[in-house]
């Protein structure tokens, strides 16, 4: 949850910047016919309202009796160089704005932030409460309201304020996503957050994407996704795959596998997955097939006669892993069996499958035979020791002296217990 509030900076529109020269000429024209005072006030205030976002200082000169414009100038000045003094020009502008327009929310926010800088918390709270009463769309009072709710332990109100802030401000989303992604480690927060996500507010998709890749506790995100699974929360497999990757990167392998099985329900721990390359996804989880994007290598899962095929190629003199899959095989004996085609290499440069411990030695290899356009089978036996709980199954191409390099297709590959 947020601990401090940064002053909101107003940003000028690119359209205003493009029109600045034309507006300046319009101002000069208005001044030239300024003999009619009332007409001058009308024209200048109209121009000031156009220019307030682009140049509040000039807008103030044009409409020094307009409260919102004075408030905008006070807010911009405070945002550029915050001053805490109640006698500062920022404070004077804010008070002048409120005398002209008691509903000028920006001016209230400036005075509240100044009071907070002076450690006058009671005054700051009173001003922010007034700001909230005036408008529920201003970021600073929304942040104050969130902090007040958090301080009271009122999760429902805090999330209501989060929802309101993130519905109305892109800046609020940038600020609040990290805090909310941290807060979901608390079960009570997750319990209240899921009904909000079910309603699919405008910020939900962005938050889910942020949490899946950047939350400090990916296990909490995994639990949030589990709790959302039966309630039609819009979560993609790509975001679930990212959570699995985050758990793997933190060496939380059991948690990664358990969560992976929530969306790859046919997966079992004692054999490799997707033997016929039926799953073609742009966002694989570590337990899915991961294809190489290395220079000089190409790999793709393409439609095949039965399901799919793994098509691969490498430039001459390039050796690299073209496809891999993370495994968590229990200790025991295993057999790799597969079928390939299109490989035309001498024995010294045949591609091969290798099973390796994640943090240790190779457990064995199986060459992919040369067969030209015909299909060929390959197999090998492996023994997985008890001190090798995580493994990687990889297809590796060796450097070739052939001008055409190495190419071929894998139609099927399965690593399973030898007894089966």
């Amino acid at each position: 949850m947020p601990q401090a509030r940064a002053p909101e900076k107003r940003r000028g529109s690119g359209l205003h910047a493009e029109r600045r020269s034309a507006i300046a000429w319009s101002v000069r024209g208005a001044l030239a016919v300024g003999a009619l005072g009332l007409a001058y006030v009308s024209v200048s205030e109209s121009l000031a309202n156009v220019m307030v976002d682009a140049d509040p200082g000039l807008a103030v000169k044009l409409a020094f009796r307009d409260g919102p414009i004075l408030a905008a100038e006070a807010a911009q000045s405070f945002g550029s160089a915050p001053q805490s003094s109640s006698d500062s020009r920022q404070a004077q502008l804010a008070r002048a704005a409120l005398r002209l327009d008691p509903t000028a929310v920006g001016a209230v926010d400036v005075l509240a932030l100044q009071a907070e800088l002076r450690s006058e918390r009671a005054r700051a709270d009173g001003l922010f409460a007034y700001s909230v009463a005036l408008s529920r769309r201003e970021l600073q009072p929304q942040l104050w309201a969130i902090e007040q709710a958090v301080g009271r332990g009122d999760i429902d109100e805090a999330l209501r304020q989060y929802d309101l802030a993130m519905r109305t401000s892109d800046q609020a989303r940038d600020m609040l996503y990290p805090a909310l992604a941290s807060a979901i480690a608390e079960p009570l927060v997750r319990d209240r957050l899921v009904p909000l996500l079910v309603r699919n507010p405008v910020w939900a998709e962005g938050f889910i994407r942020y949490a899946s890749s950047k939350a400090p506790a990916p296990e909490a995100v995994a639990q949030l996704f589990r709790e959302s699974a039966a309630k039609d929360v819009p979560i993609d497999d790509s975001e679930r795959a990212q959570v699995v990757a985050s758990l793997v990167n933190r060496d939380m392998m059991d948690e990664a596998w358990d969560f992976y099985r929530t969306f790859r329900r046919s997966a079992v721990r004692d054999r490799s997955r997707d033997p016929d390359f039926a799953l073609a996804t742009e966002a694989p989880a570590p337990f899915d097939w991961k294809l190489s994007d290395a220079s000089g290598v190409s790999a793709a899962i393409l439609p095949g006669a039965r399901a799919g095929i793994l098509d691969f190629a490498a430039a001459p003199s390039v050796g690299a892993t073209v496809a891999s899959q993370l495994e968590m095989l229990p200790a025991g004996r295993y057999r790799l069996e597969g079928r390939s085609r299109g490989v035309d290499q001498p024995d010294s440069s045949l591609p091969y499958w290798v099973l390796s411990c994640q943090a240790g030695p190779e457990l064995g290899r199986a060459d992919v035979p040369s067969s030209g356009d015909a299909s060929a089978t390959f197999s090998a036996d492996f023994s997985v020791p008890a001190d090798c709980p995580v493994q990687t199954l990889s297809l590796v191409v060796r450097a070739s002296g052939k001008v055409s390099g190495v190419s071929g297709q894998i139609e099927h590959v399965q690593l399973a217990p030898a007894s089966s």
Side-chain angles (χ1 to χ4, degrees), residues 256-276:
W257 175 260
D258 289 345
F259 181 64
Y260 175 76
R261 291 204 65 240
T262 66
F263 62 101
R264 299 277 192 265
R265 297 186 182 278
S266 63
V268 290
R269 199 158 174 163
D270 67 351
R271 64 195 62 218
S272 61
R273 291 154 300 286
D274 194 20
D276 297 313

Side-chain angles (χ1 to χ4, degrees), residues 304-317:
R306 295 176 57 189
I309 55 172
L310 171 60
D311 183 89
F312 63 92
S317 302

Side-chain angles (χ1 to χ4, degrees), residues 346-361:
D347 289 350
S348 61
S349 56
L350 287 174
Y352 62 90
W353 288 93
V354 58
L355 183 66
S356 305
C357 292
Q358 186 183 43

Side-chain angles (χ1 to χ4, degrees), residues 184 190 194 197 204 207-213 218-231 233-244 259 262-263:
I184 59 176
R190 293 197 305 270
V194 170
L197 296 176
F207 171 71
I208 290 169
R209 188 165 54 248
Y210 178 93
S212 67
S213 60
E219 66 275 20
V221 183
Q223 188 59 33
L224 175 69
F225 285 8
R226 284 190 183 94
E227 293 167 5
S228 304
K231 300 182 179 179
V233 174
I235 301 172
D236 294 332
D237 276 1
S238 62
E239 291 152 349
R240 296 185 177 94
Q242 180 59 60
V243 173
V244 176
F259 181 64
T262 66
F263 62 101

Side-chain angles (χ1 to χ4, degrees), residues 257 260 266-277 287-289 324-330 334-337 353 355 391-394 412-417:
W257 175 260
Y260 175 76
S266 63
V268 290
R269 199 158 174 163
D270 67 351
R271 64 195 62 218
S272 61
R273 291 154 300 286
D274 194 20
D276 297 313
F277 306 101
F287 299 111
D288 297 324
W289 289 116
S324 63
Q325 185 182 100
L326 198 64
E327 314 291 348
M328 292 188 68
L329 304 169
Y334 293 86
R335 183 168 181 80
L336 178 77
E337 294 183 339
W353 288 93
L355 183 66
Q391 314 86 28
T392 303
L393 178 64
S394 306
H412 172 88
V413 65
Q414 176 81 77
L415 181 63

